[in-house]
Amino acid sequence: IWQERRPTVVFITHDVAEAVFLANRVVVLSRGQVLSEVDIPLARPRAWDQLVEDEGFKALSNQVLQLVRSA
């Protein structure tokens, strides 16, 4: 459905890797406030088994994790 219609979808998760895998943009929140936004420029479609080994994916995941930890 998303590929055909491109609706806005909001996922809420505490799993950083899942967020980076699914998202075009990750928004880090703390106490209801937006702390940071990270664009995710990874190509689609995405395959989990291939992406988890990708250095770009790892770097983005680490960037988001550091933002979460600093919250």
Side-chain angles (χ1 to χ4, degrees), residues 5 7 13 24 31 37 40 47 50-52 57 69 71:
R5 298 185 184 170
T13 183
N24 293 321
R31 297 184 181 111
E37 295 183 29
I40 308 297
Q50 296 169 355
L51 199 58
V52 294
F57 175 82
R69 287 180 175 163

Side-chain angles (χ1 to χ4, degrees), residues 15 17-22 46-53 57:
D15 186 323
E18 176 184 56
V20 173
F21 177 73
L22 293 173
R46 299 175 185 163
W48 177 260
D49 57 332
Q50 296 169 355
L51 199 58
V52 294
E53 299 299 323
F57 175 82

Side-chain angles (χ1 to χ4, degrees), residues 7-71:
T8 298
V9 178
V10 176
F11 287 105
I12 299 171
T13 183
H14 290 90
D15 186 323
V16 171
E18 176 184 56
V20 173
F21 177 73
L22 293 173
N24 293 321
R25 179 178 57 174
V26 173
V27 178
V28 178
L29 303 171
S30 179
R31 297 184 181 111
Q33 300 294 316
V34 174
L35 297 182
S36 186
E37 295 183 29
V38 179
D39 287 324
I40 308 297
L42 301 171
R44 291 192 181 271
R46 299 175 185 163
W48 177 260
D49 57 332
Q50 296 169 355
L51 199 58
V52 294
E53 299 299 323
D54 181 80
E55 292 303 318
F57 175 82
K58 290 177 185 179
L60 287 164
S61 295
N62 286 331
Q63 179 184 355
V64 172
L65 185 58
Q66 291 304 316
L67 291 167
V68 169
R69 287 180 175 163
S70 69

